[in-house]
């Protein structure tokens, strides 16, 4: 005897009858539900889901499944809205993670490139014998630092 909605495990039959979320498919007794139209004075022509077994025996005031169709559909809409909100949150979280990762990769690449440039400049400095060349490289490094600083300021 299982409730296909799965939302009411461990509750009594009375609670199950009241608390099925969304559109119920089977009753706790195992019978599938049928869609019927109310002929009562209070709810004329209002559609409802009813346990097929209880409906066939025309049971009254029993524990078998009963749910108004409009209420079941409202439940479904609310459930979908919640799921949509969760999905939206997940998507934005994933997007943020991807952007963070890309930023990290880019920063690492930039760091490596800067390191490479400075290393090659240093090498050049060591290898250079003439003071003129040294001065030129110092000027180039100075320019690079200036450009770097202007980037930091901007
Ligand atoms: Zn039933």
């Amino acid at each position: 005897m299982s409730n296909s909605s799965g939302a009411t495990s461990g509750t009594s039959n009375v609670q199950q009858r009241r608390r099925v979320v969304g559109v119920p498919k089977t009753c706790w007794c195992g019978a599938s539900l049928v869609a019927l139209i109310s002929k009562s004075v209070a709810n004329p022509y209002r559609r409802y889901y009813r346990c097929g077994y209880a409906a066939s025996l025309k049971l009254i005031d029993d524990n078998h499944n009963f749910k108004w169709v409009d209420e079941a559909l409202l439940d479904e809409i609310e459930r979908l809205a919640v799921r949509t909100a969760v999905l939206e949150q997940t998507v934005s979280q994933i997007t943020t993670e991807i952007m963070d990762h890309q930023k990290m990769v880019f920063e690492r690449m930039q760091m490596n490139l800067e390191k490479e440039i400075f290393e090659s400049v240093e090498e050049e400095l060591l290898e250079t014998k003439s003071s003129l060349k040294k001065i030129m490289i110092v000027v180039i490094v100075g320019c690079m630092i200036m450009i770097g600083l202007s980037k930091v300021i901007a």
Side-chain angles (χ1 to χ4, degrees):
M1 310 285 173
S2 70
N3 186 328
S4 70
S5 77
T8 52
S9 58
T11 54
S12 76
N13 293 337
V14 176
Q15 277 173 319
Q16 267 184 333
R17 176 183 153 179
R18 287 168 185 275
R19 284 208 193 162
V20 173
V21 178
V23 178
K25 300 222 163 46
T26 52
C27 181
W28 57 266
C29 71
S32 42
L33 297 197
V34 290
L36 299 169
I37 295 169
S38 167
K39 288 161 193 151
S40 71
V41 182
N43 294 288
Y45 302 108
R46 195 176 177 189
R47 292 179 64 204
Y48 64 96
Y49 295 113
R50 183 75 167 119
C51 166
Y53 169 76
S56 66
L57 295 180
K58 295 193 194 309
L59 296 178
I60 298 163
D61 279 339
D62 57 286
N63 286 337
H64 291 271
N65 236 324
F66 168 90
K67 187 159 190 175
W68 295 112
V69 168
D70 52 318
E71 284 177 1
L73 293 181
L74 266 179
D75 278 358
E76 285 290 313
I77 290 166
E78 277 168 25
R79 211 162 59 155
L80 282 174
V82 169
R83 274 170 63 181
T84 306
V86 169
L87 273 174
E88 274 172 2
Q89 208 185 335
T90 309
V91 167
S92 82
Q93 203 178 325
I94 288 168
T95 309
T96 310
E97 273 170 25
I98 288 170
M99 279 172 71
D100 282 352
H101 181 72
Q102 277 178 342
K103 209 175 142 191
M104 211 179 71
V105 168
F106 181 73
E107 277 171 2
R108 202 180 294 161
M109 274 169 61
Q110 212 177 10
M111 261 171 60
N112 285 344
L113 195 69
E114 276 169 14
K115 207 174 139 196
E116 230 169 81
I117 290 169
F118 275 109
E119 272 173 7
S120 65
V121 168
E122 247 170 41
E123 251 171 57
E124 193 82 4
L125 264 174
L126 287 172
E127 279 170 14
T128 310
K129 300 269 157 110
S130 80
S131 59
L132 186 67
K133 222 172 176 184
K134 273 185 188 172
I135 288 164
M136 274 181 72
I137 285 161
V138 167
V139 168
I140 290 167
V141 170
C143 284
M144 280 177 68
I145 289 166
M146 293 275 278
I147 290 163
L149 280 176
S150 69
K151 264 189 199 165
V152 169
I153 291 160

